[in-house]
């Protein structure tokens, strides 16, 4: 599908798109039988934190771009009358509130990706649901602390400046090959200080020695609907997949009248990564330590554990090898 020149959006984005069709190979074998997005982080699945982040930013309409075997995700955000009635009858009000919290977060919709052809292809499945409005894309591998409202800022920048907005994070240079690396310049006209920049170009997962910067594009985007027509003509790139980064780079060269232009918001807050085993463990510790109901006792135990910890034997170590 194609369309004529799009009018600039005149309001703040209202819809969120969350691609959840991936295989989750980095968390195997835990993700063999359940979606990686449903793996528990402290006391709720990772995907709930992401939807909470969207809802906190005012995005109450959420589209899951899903695939076969992912039904547990949408089930999680549905009501469970039998369970709720049992909890209510037992007087377990706190548990009842926690169960109901997930079903009241947002209006959840679902579309199948069908074939795993990359993030750009997944985003393009949202065209009919999004229509001609700007929209947010949130990846499910990580989420940001509600005390550091990145998404809210991105939505404001997109509403003010038009075009599309990406989240950027300064990472250690040796890890940049895990991300898209951005080339930027200052954008003082954006009115939000040094944390808002103009994105000139980007390279998807470059070799460390070829990376243009250590500014990584992380999993939060606010996109102009012009991205759909660009994705339609985007050829497969890195890994033989349709890369959203490639489409964004074409948008960066287009005029604002066509929905072009890409800004970046440099994030300096707390981010929790659940996409790989070590990062997943770190996220649990960070979130557990911050919990009012768990933090004090958990940290007391953790300090004692660290002080008395002994290196595991080679036999035990090999038993947990990847």
């Amino acid at each position: 599908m194609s369309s004529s020149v799009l009018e600039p959006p005149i309001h703040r984005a209202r819809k969120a798109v969350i691609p959840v069709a991936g295989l989750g190979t980095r968390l195997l074998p835990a993700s063999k039988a359940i979606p990686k997005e449903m793996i528990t982080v402290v006391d709720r699945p990772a995907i709930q934190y992401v939807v909470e982040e969207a809802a906190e930013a005012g995005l109450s309409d959420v589209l899951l771009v899903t695939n076969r075997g992912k039904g547990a995700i949408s089930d999680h955000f549905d009501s469970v009358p039998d369970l709720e009635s049992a909890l209510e009858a037992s007087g377990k009000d706190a548990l009842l509130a926690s169960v109901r919290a997930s079903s009241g977060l947002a209006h959840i919709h679902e579309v199948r990706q069908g074939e795993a052809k990359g993030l750009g292809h997944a985003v393009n499945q949202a065209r009919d649901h999004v229509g001609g409005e700007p929209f947010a894309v949130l990846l499910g591998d990580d989420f940001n602390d509600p005390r550091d409202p990145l998404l809210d800022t991105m939505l404001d920048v997109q509403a003010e400046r038009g075009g599309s907005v990406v989240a950027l994070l300064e990472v250690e240079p040796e890890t940049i090959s895990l991300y898209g690396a951005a080339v930027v310049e200052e954008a003082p006209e954006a009115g939000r200080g040094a944390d808002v920049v103009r994105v000139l170009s980007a390279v998807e997962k470059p070799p460390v020695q070829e990376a243009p910067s250590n500014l990584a594009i992380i999993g939060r985007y606010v996109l102009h609907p012009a991205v759909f027509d660009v994705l339609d003509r985007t050829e497969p790139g890195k890994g033989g997949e349709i890369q959203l980064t490639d489409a964004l780079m074409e948008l960066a060269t287009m005029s604002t009248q066509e929905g072009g232009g890409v800004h970046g918001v440099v994030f300096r807050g707390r981010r929790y990564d659940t996409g790989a085993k070590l990062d997943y463990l770190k996220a649990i510790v960070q979130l557990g330590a911050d919990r009012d109901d768990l933090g004090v006792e958990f940290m007391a135990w953790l300090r004692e554990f660290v002080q008395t910890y002994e290196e595991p034997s080679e036999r035990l170590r090999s038993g947990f090898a990847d």
Side-chain angles (χ1 to χ4, degrees):
M1 281 184 284
S2 62
S3 63
S4 58
V5 173
L6 293 165
E7 292 296 323
I10 58 174
H11 56 73
R12 203 171 186 259
R14 299 177 293 189
K15 298 178 180 180
V17 174
I18 305 178
V20 293
L23 295 175
T25 54
R26 292 189 297 165
L27 288 179
L28 285 170
S31 56
K32 177 183 176 182
I34 62 172
K36 66 172 182 175
E37 296 85 2
M38 290 300 297
I39 293 176
T40 305
V41 182
V42 184
D43 64 352
R44 53 195 188 273
I47 188 65
Q48 183 169 332
Y49 290 93
V50 179
V51 175
E52 287 172 348
E53 186 181 337
E56 186 69 24
L59 303 173
S60 59
D61 184 308
V62 174
L63 177 69
L64 302 175
V65 182
T66 184
N67 218 331
R68 184 182 299 275
K70 297 280 187 169
I73 300 175
S74 53
D75 285 349
H76 177 73
F77 295 101
D78 202 353
S79 59
V80 191
D82 291 346
L83 175 60
E84 294 173 21
S85 296
L87 292 172
E88 189 170 19
S90 302
K92 298 179 179 179
D93 296 338
L95 284 176
L96 177 61
S98 68
V99 168
R100 285 178 170 169
S102 60
S103 57
L105 282 172
H107 300 291
I108 304 293
H109 310 271
E110 188 176 325
V111 65
R112 290 284 187 98
Q113 184 177 3
E115 297 181 71
K117 295 182 178 179
L119 178 57
H121 180 262
V123 170
N124 212 11
Q125 307 314 301
R127 179 195 286 265
D128 289 343
H129 184 81
V130 167
E133 301 182 15
F135 63 104
V137 174
L138 295 81
L139 303 191
D141 285 346
D142 59 69
F143 48 90
N144 301 310
D145 197 292
R147 293 167 293 186
D148 304 312
L150 168 66
L151 186 56
D152 204 51
T153 300
M154 294 175 67
L155 291 166
D156 286 343
V157 170
Q158 196 282 329
E160 292 167 3
R161 304 299 306 162
S164 296
V165 181
V166 300
L168 301 173
L169 180 72
E170 292 186 55
V171 301
E172 295 298 326
E174 59 270 20
T175 67
I176 192 61
S177 60
L178 300 174
Y179 306 88
V183 177
V184 305
E185 66 178 12
E186 291 185 11
E189 76 281 5
R192 288 179 177 270
D195 285 346
V196 176
V197 294
R198 184 181 292 107
V199 178
L200 303 178
S201 65
V203 180
E204 181 67 18
K205 297 181 179 179
V208 171
Q209 63 274 16
E210 298 176 17
S213 76
N214 69 327
L215 268 181
I217 301 174
I218 57 175
R220 296 295 179 271
Y221 311 81
V222 183
L223 303 177
H224 190 285
V227 72
F228 294 123
D229 284 345
V230 175
L231 285 168
D232 280 345
R233 58 179 179 262
T234 298
E235 296 293 330
K238 191 82 172 184
E241 298 181 332
I242 298 173
Q243 297 292 345
L244 181 59
T245 300
D246 293 342
L248 286 167
M249 291 311 94
E250 181 171 341
L251 286 172
T253 68
M254 292 165 51
S255 69
T256 55
Q257 289 77 17
E258 297 174 308
V262 179
H263 284 83
V265 175
V266 182
F267 184 53
R268 306 186 191 282
R270 287 156 283 199
R271 175 175 176 256
Y272 308 109
D273 191 344
T274 62
K277 295 170 188 176
L278 179 58
D279 293 325
Y280 169 74
L281 292 174
K282 291 178 181 178
I284 291 175
V285 172
Q286 289 175 291
L287 288 163
D290 269 356
R291 287 279 294 260
D292 291 337
D293 58 338
L294 300 171
V296 173
E297 291 183 51
F298 175 57
M299 287 305 298
W301 173 84
L302 189 59
R303 291 188 186 98
E304 181 179 353
F305 174 78
V306 171
Q307 290 173 355
T308 60
Y309 177 73
E310 296 180 3
E311 289 288 327
S313 67
E314 285 301 316
R315 180 187 61 80
L316 185 60
R317 191 193 307 275
S318 63
F320 287 100
D322 288 336

